[in-house]
Amino acid sequence: MSVNLDVNALNKLKDASLWFIIATLIGFIGVVTVFSEIISIVAFILLLFVAIPKLKDAFNLFLQTGKDVRNGITGANILPWGYIIIFLGGIIGIVGLFAISAVLAIFGTLLVVLGVLLEFIGGLLIGLSIYNLGRFYQSDLMWIGGILIIIPGINFVGWILTYISIDDVLKRLSPSPIIPTPAASMPSVSVYQVGTGSLSADGKASLVLYSSTQLQIQSASIDNTLISVSWDKITPYILNPGNNTVTIQFPPLTGFIRGSVYSVTLVLSNGQTVKVFLTFT
C-alpha cells in the first residue's frame, strides 16, 4: 500500500466534502429566496453530478488501500435515487395540488417519504464509513463528522468537520525527512520476518522474526496509518539469536478488510527498521 494512494484518497474526500457543503449551502439559500425552485435545481444537479461522483471516487481509492469503505460506496449509490425520488415526488405533489387531484398529491407525498428514507439510508452508510476512516486515521474531527453526516438536518456540519479534519491527517501522514547515515555506522545485523503474520480486529498481531543477534524492538507502527505502539506492547520486545515468536498489541482496529495484507514497520534498538506483513483475519 502506498502513502501516495492514501493522500490521493484523502484529497478526493476533501474535494467531495467541499462540494457537499456548497450544494447544501445553495439549497439553504433556495429556501429563503423567491427563486427557490431554480436554486434548488442547481443544488440538486451539484449533488447528483459533482459531489456524489467525487465521493465514490474517494471511497474507491480508500478501498484500494485496504480500508473497509464498502458501506460508503453502497450509500453513495443509494443517495442519488433518494434525491431523484424526492425531486419527482415534489413535482407530482405540486401538480396534484394545482390540478386538485388527491391521488396525485398523495402519490407525490409517498414518493417524497420514500426518497427521504433512501436519503437517510445512504447518509447512514456514508457516515459510518467516514466514522471508520476517522478511527483508522485517529482523527476525532473526522469520526465526529461521520456521526453528524448520519443525522438529518445537521449532516451539513458533518461535512464541514470532515473537510477540516483532512488537512491535519495529511500533515501527520507526511513522511519525516530522512537524515543520511554514514556508511560506517550502518547496522550489519540481520533481522527479517519468517512467513506471514496475522492481525486481528482486537489489535493483536502475531509473527515470527529471525535475528542474527540480541537486540530490542523499540516500536511498531501500521504503515499508512497513525497507529503505533512502543516496546511495552510487544512480547517479547527483546529478540534473541534465531527465530522469535512475537506478539504486538495494537489498539482495536476498525476499517480493515478481512483477508487483506497490511505492512508494519518495526524500529529496532540499533536504529534499523524492518518491514513485516500481516494478514487481517
Side-chain angles (χ1 to χ4, degrees):
M1 295 182 295
S2 168
V3 173
N4 289 334
L5 201 57
D6 274 73
V7 170
N8 289 339
L10 285 163
N11 279 323
K12 284 186 176 291
L13 178 60
K14 183 179 179 181
D15 193 25
S17 300
L18 178 61
W19 282 104
F20 271 98
I21 294 168
I22 291 171
T24 307
L25 275 175
I26 292 174
F28 285 159
I29 292 171
V31 173
V32 297
T33 63
V34 294
F35 304 105
S36 59
E37 293 83 2
I38 296 174
I39 294 177
S40 296
I41 290 173
V42 171
F44 172 76
I45 291 172
L46 288 177
L47 285 169
L48 207 59
F49 296 105
V50 182
I52 293 174
K54 286 180 178 291
L55 183 63
K56 289 171 67 175
D57 287 345
F59 281 147
N60 282 320
L61 274 181
F62 281 121
L63 198 61
Q64 292 178 42
T65 67
K67 297 170 185 64
D68 191 358
V69 291
R70 288 169 291 189
N71 283 337
I73 294 173
T74 301
N77 287 328
I78 292 174
L79 203 58
W81 291 106
Y83 291 137
I84 290 170
I85 291 173
I86 290 173
F87 186 74
L88 292 177
I91 292 175
I92 292 172
I94 291 172
V95 170
L97 289 175
F98 280 103
I100 316 179
S101 170
V103 174
L104 283 179
I106 292 172
F107 181 62
T109 302
L110 291 176
L111 282 180
V112 169
V113 172
L114 175 61
V116 169
L117 178 61
L118 289 176
E119 185 182 347
F120 172 75
I121 293 172
L124 171 66
L125 295 174
I126 290 168
L128 287 175
S129 283
I130 292 178
Y131 169 83
N132 284 337
L133 288 174
R135 294 287 301 275
F136 191 93
Y137 290 115
Q138 296 186 335
S139 170
D140 290 346
L141 275 182
M142 187 179 290
W143 69 255
I144 292 172
I147 293 174
L148 295 181
I149 286 171
I150 297 172
I151 305 173
I154 60 172
N155 51 10
F156 169 74
V157 179
W159 287 114
I160 293 176
L161 293 181
T162 301
Y163 179 86
I164 294 171
S165 71
I166 292 173
D167 280 336
D168 178 62
V169 174
L170 288 172
K171 182 179 179 181
R172 287 185 284 145
L173 279 179
S174 299
S176 302
I178 298 174
I179 302 174
T181 305
S185 65
M186 289 293 287
S188 59
V189 175
S190 178
V191 177
Y192 56 82
Q193 182 180 13
V194 179
T196 301
S198 64
L199 180 65
S200 57
D202 62 1
K204 183 179 180 180
S206 300
L207 64 149
V208 176
L209 288 174
Y210 170 84
S211 178
S212 62
T213 187
Q214 187 180 81
L215 74 170
Q216 298 179 8
I217 305 174
Q218 292 187 330
S219 66
S221 57
I222 303 177
D223 294 345
N224 299 330
T225 76
L226 302 172
I227 302 171
S228 65
V229 294
S230 55
W231 61 270
D232 58 323
K233 299 294 183 181
I234 303 171
T235 307
Y237 71 92
I238 297 177
L239 298 178
N240 290 309
N243 288 345
N244 299 263
T245 300
V246 177
T247 299
I248 306 171
Q249 187 60 60
F250 293 107
L253 305 174
T254 59
F256 288 66
I257 297 178
R258 195 174 302 276
S260 294
V261 177
Y262 294 85
S263 59
V264 172
T265 299
L266 307 177
V267 178
L268 307 180
S269 55
N270 64 348
Q272 186 177 354
T273 60
V274 177
K275 194 174 292 291
V276 298
F277 298 91
L278 309 174
T279 301
F280 190 67
T281 58

